[in-house]
């Protein structure tokens, strides 16, 4: 297990489209474990594989520091409602921005063993799911930030 380096904004790797995971092997398990360890070390609530330089569709999320979601090839199947709130990103250190997100999402994904799972998320967890899945398509929260001048 290891702490990995977190890629910062300005690095092109954060702007790539990530490829689906095809092999649910030891290498994937190590990546997911390292990502969780790296996220906790940095006091984050989510981390996507491209943030550690790996262009695969995998994210880890833990909004309460206890329940850890390891989501491989995740897809949002349903969105509803809206929430406007502050968001930060471990790849954009030292700042926060206001972003509108769905209030609730239903996401399907595979766990590290290749079993299909469904997550019903609301509030902060829904926000984290949306934020982390955006990373897999090269999107950062700063792209969606509501600037004060627009209010
Ligand atoms: Ni982020």
């Amino acid at each position: 297990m290891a702490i990995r380096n977190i890629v910062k904004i300005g690095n092109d790797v954060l702007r790539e489209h990530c490829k689906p995971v095809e092999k649910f092997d030891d290498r994937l398990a190590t990546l997911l474990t390292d990502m969780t360890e790296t996220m906790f070390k940095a006091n984050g609530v989510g981390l996507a594989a491209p943030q550690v330089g790996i262009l695969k569709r995998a994210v880890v999320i833990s909004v309460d520091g206890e329940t850890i979601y390891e989501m491989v090839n995740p897809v949002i199947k349903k969105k509803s409602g809206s929430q406007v709130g502050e968001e930060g990103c471990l790849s954009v250190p030292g700042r926060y921005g206001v972003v509108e997100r769905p209030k609730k999402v239903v996401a399907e994904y595979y766990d590290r063993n290749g079993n299909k799972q469904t997550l019903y998320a609301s509030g902060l967890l829904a926000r984290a799911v949306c934020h982390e899945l955006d990373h897999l398509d090269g999107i950062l929260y700063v792209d969606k930030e509501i600037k004060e001048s627009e209010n």
Side-chain angles (χ1 to χ4, degrees), residues 4-7 13-14 16 18 31-32 34-36 38-39 44-62 69-72 74 89-91 128-140:
R4 303 208 184 187
N5 284 328
I6 298 175
V7 173
V13 78
L14 293 174
E16 299 284 336
C18 296
L31 172 65
L32 292 166
D34 286 358
M35 283 169 61
T36 296
T38 303
M39 169 182 74
V45 298
L47 192 69
Q51 293 183 275
V52 293
I54 305 292
L55 292 173
K56 292 284 183 186
R57 304 190 77 83
V59 309
V60 296
I61 294 172
S62 182
Y69 296 99
E70 297 176 334
M71 306 174 77
V72 178
C89 179
L90 294 176
S91 292
V129 168
C130 294
H131 177 117
E132 298 312 327
L133 268 60
D134 272 354
H135 273 297
L136 304 181
D137 293 315
I139 300 164
L140 300 177

